[in-house]
Amino acid sequence: MSKYYSPTKEDLVKIGQKEEEAEYFIKLHTKYTDTLEEPLKVYENISSVPADFFINYSDIPDCPQEKISEYLSKLVVIKLNGGLGTTMGLNDPKSTIEIQEHFTFLDLTVRQIEYLNRKFNVNLPLVFMNSFHTHHKTQEIISSKYKNLKVEIHCFEQRKLPRIHKDNLRPVPKNNKNDKEWHPPGSGDVFECFYNCGLLQKFIDAGKEFVFISNVENLGGIVGHKNFKLLNEAFISKHNFLLEVSQRIPTDLHGGILVKENSHVKLMELSQIPREKIHLFSYNQFKYWNTNNMWVNLRSLLNHIKDKKLNLQLVVNQRWVEDKGNFLQLECPAGSAIQNFHSGRALVVPNHRFRDIKTTAGLFLYQSSLFNIQKDGELILSPKRDQSAFPNLPLVKFSKAEFGHIDQFGKRFKTLPDILELEHLTVSGDVYFGSDIVLKGTVIIVAEFGSTIHIPDGTILENKIVTGHLNILE
């Protein structure tokens, strides 16, 4: 008998959970307590994934032009749209943040799909998986903003689970009134919720064969542009699950990496690895990390769900709830489903397939002249950026107190600087930027406590350190 609290469906229904959600929570809770009672000694059995598990983007043939329409007509696109912009001080869906030219993440996503539908004369459906945080707002925007476009849009809502106390593992909420005591259980919810809402079967009946899944805020997660290599690979290969991964760099300390545990390939979240073990997972040995872009065969997915063979990795995260303290929440990442598909493979894609925005530093990059919006809704790197001289995007760091909130961030720039030749920018303290500023190389600006720095209009800073009030150092 377990020494830990065991939730019952009756107790969970009393606090406001639906029966199916309660059963899912019990499943995750039991998985968690099992690991506490019998800790897994997995690190001795983990090795890097064999090279033949990976398919390199450069080795994938272009999609024949005469096949693009056929494959698009058999595809469904799902965008994971469950997150709020809380890391940037917003309580609205992150997908409603404006990127460029007043276009939001939602706008760009819809524009991309509509462009493909019109250009290739197909019906490529767009589906949003929302959370209880984002569902109603997203539906309102869709019904008012996109109803006259050539794109079939659907929404479904993922589950809602209670956060739990760290000490006794009991649910935090006593009722369903305080959303801060509840959470959406991660991107892995997409598969069963897609099935439960009836859309999976509906699309199969309509002749659809594959689904492309990505985060709505990942501006690089598009179906295709010119050569449609990945679309082609999904349809010509015999792999029923394709997970896109990209090259890790030393600063990639979060997210998931693929590992081999005994004879199975699994996705391991770096956040779940104890600090004393993290050195075992260097970027030199585990070279790729998860972009959360994936291509999944619909019929195979349906069979896995019906046969109850979809087993996802459990991730336990701590979350701070204002005025209440730290709690745990149980989640599953979608990419971990790869361990269930025997013919699954990883696609090694260019880094531009993952352009995620989590902070105002990322927003700064994509709102700047470094990127341009194309007529098909794709955000591309400006051709004015010399990629031979600057192969990577600039590394940008802002102090959270002054730049972390999106409203504060906007007030600190008259216009965004020209950063076409920028490599590294750090800004800390009470700093304001004028208009027509150019930043090149490495620029560090630090306003000491009690000081304010105003960068004048037209300033050019190249490999400079600015401190105090406006003390420019070579």
Side-chain angles (χ1 to χ4, degrees), residues 96-310:
T96 62
I97 295 174
E98 290 186 359
I99 307 303
Q100 281 192 21
E101 303 174 22
H102 303 294
F103 286 107
T104 66
F105 289 108
L106 282 177
D107 295 336
L108 292 176
T109 299
V110 173
R111 186 174 180 175
Q112 290 164 9
I113 302 303
E114 187 195 26
Y115 179 85
L116 293 175
N117 282 335
R118 291 191 180 279
K119 181 176 180 178
F120 295 100
N121 193 28
V122 295
N123 177 26
L124 172 57
L126 174 60
V127 183
F128 292 101
M129 182 178 81
N130 307 317
S131 69
F132 64 91
H133 293 304
T134 64
H135 191 58
H136 296 299
K137 181 72 173 180
T138 301
Q139 287 186 313
E140 288 174 4
I141 293 171
I142 289 171
S143 61
S144 64
K145 202 171 184 179
Y146 311 130
K147 59 183 178 181
N148 296 321
L149 301 181
K150 184 180 171 58
V151 55
E152 175 189 335
I153 303 178
H154 300 268
C155 290
F156 64 89
E157 189 174 354
Q158 68 179 123
R159 298 170 174 117
K160 182 178 181 179
L161 302 190
R163 289 183 164 128
I164 60 177
H165 291 282
K166 292 174 65 176
D167 53 355
N168 58 24
L169 307 187
R170 289 179 175 273
V172 172
K174 302 298 182 184
N175 52 52
N176 201 17
K177 295 180 180 179
N178 187 353
D179 281 348
K180 292 181 179 180
E181 297 176 339
W182 299 79
H183 71 95
S187 59
D189 218 20
V190 63
F191 304 114
E192 290 186 358
C193 290
F194 185 38
Y195 169 76
N196 291 340
C197 74
L199 285 175
L200 174 55
Q201 187 65 61
K202 174 182 176 178
F203 287 133
I204 290 175
D205 293 342
K208 306 297 182 181
E209 295 181 10
F210 266 85
V211 59
F212 172 62
I213 303 171
S214 65
N215 298 340
V216 71
E217 69 270 21
N218 177 12
L219 297 172
I222 63 171
V223 172
H225 178 56
K226 292 181 179 179
N227 51 40
F228 292 90
K229 282 176 174 280
L230 300 177
L231 177 72
N232 191 50
E233 181 65 19
F235 280 91
I236 67 172
S237 73
K238 296 181 180 179
H239 305 303
N240 50 15
F241 193 103
L242 293 166
L243 179 66
E244 294 184 34
V245 298
S246 62
Q247 189 80 37
R248 280 179 73 193
I249 58 176
T251 54
D252 289 333
L253 301 177
H254 302 283
I257 58 173
L258 288 176
V259 302
K260 184 178 180 183
E261 183 183 350
N262 297 321
S263 60
H264 300 288
V265 173
K266 295 185 175 182
L267 185 73
M268 177 173 285
E269 293 293 319
L270 291 172
S271 64
Q272 303 300 294
I273 300 172
R275 185 173 297 179
E276 65 273 14
K277 298 287 187 180
I278 199 69
H279 68 279
L280 299 174
F281 300 91
S282 72
Y283 73 99
N284 290 319
Q285 183 178 4
F286 298 90
K287 298 179 179 180
Y288 308 111
W289 68 299
N290 174 30
T291 67
N292 221 36
N293 300 341
M294 60 207 83
W295 304 76
V296 188
N297 181 279
L298 293 176
R299 180 69 64 180
S300 182
L301 175 61
L302 178 67
N303 291 337
H304 275 76
I305 294 173
K306 284 187 171 182
D307 295 341
K308 300 188 184 303
K309 292 181 178 180
L310 197 64

Side-chain angles (χ1 to χ4, degrees), residues 252-455:
D252 289 333
L253 301 177
H254 302 283
I257 58 173
L258 288 176
V259 302
K260 184 178 180 183
E261 183 183 350
N262 297 321
S263 60
H264 300 288
V265 173
K266 295 185 175 182
L267 185 73
M268 177 173 285
E269 293 293 319
L270 291 172
S271 64
Q272 303 300 294
I273 300 172
R275 185 173 297 179
E276 65 273 14
K277 298 287 187 180
I278 199 69
H279 68 279
L280 299 174
F281 300 91
S282 72
Y283 73 99
N284 290 319
Q285 183 178 4
F286 298 90
K287 298 179 179 180
Y288 308 111
W289 68 299
N290 174 30
T291 67
N292 221 36
N293 300 341
M294 60 207 83
W295 304 76
V296 188
N297 181 279
L298 293 176
R299 180 69 64 180
S300 182
L301 175 61
L302 178 67
N303 291 337
H304 275 76
I305 294 173
K306 284 187 171 182
D307 295 341
K308 300 188 184 303
K309 292 181 178 180
L310 197 64
N311 181 34
L312 306 183
Q313 295 290 103
L314 177 67
V315 173
V316 183
N317 285 321
Q318 290 194 46
R319 288 292 182 268
W320 169 262
V321 178
E322 189 176 353
D323 300 326
K324 289 184 176 292
N326 267 318
F327 299 121
L328 301 179
Q329 57 188 49
L330 308 178
E331 305 176 8
C332 292
S336 68
I338 195 170
Q339 67 191 28
N340 302 279
F341 294 82
H342 296 304
S343 66
R345 289 294 183 273
L347 297 166
V348 181
V349 298
N351 288 336
H352 65 70
R353 292 286 299 172
F354 185 79
R355 285 179 173 154
D356 199 16
I357 297 178
K358 295 188 180 297
T359 64
T360 52
L363 190 62
F364 170 81
L365 286 178
Y366 294 108
Q367 286 185 339
S368 75
S369 59
L370 200 61
F371 286 89
N372 301 324
I373 294 177
Q374 303 298 288
K375 65 180 181 179
D376 61 358
E378 184 182 2
L379 198 71
I380 68 166
L381 190 66
S382 170
K384 296 179 182 178
R385 172 90 168 176
D386 184 352
Q387 294 192 59
S388 61
F390 306 101
N392 299 314
L393 293 181
L395 178 62
V396 177
K397 297 180 180 179
F398 291 141
S399 57
K400 187 174 181 179
E402 291 80 16
F403 288 82
H405 195 291
I406 197 167
D407 290 337
Q408 296 173 323
F409 165 79
K411 292 175 182 177
R412 292 185 176 274
F413 297 92
K414 275 189 184 179
T415 60
L416 290 183
D418 180 330
I419 59 171
L420 289 172
E421 296 181 30
L422 181 69
E423 292 182 280
H424 177 197
L425 173 66
T426 293
V427 184
S428 179
D430 192 18
V431 180
Y432 291 87
F433 292 80
S435 59
D436 301 318
I437 290 169
V438 179
L439 305 177
K440 300 181 179 183
T442 295
V443 177
I444 300 173
I445 305 172
V446 180
E448 297 172 358
F449 181 75
S451 298
T452 299
I453 293 178
H454 291 270
I455 308 297

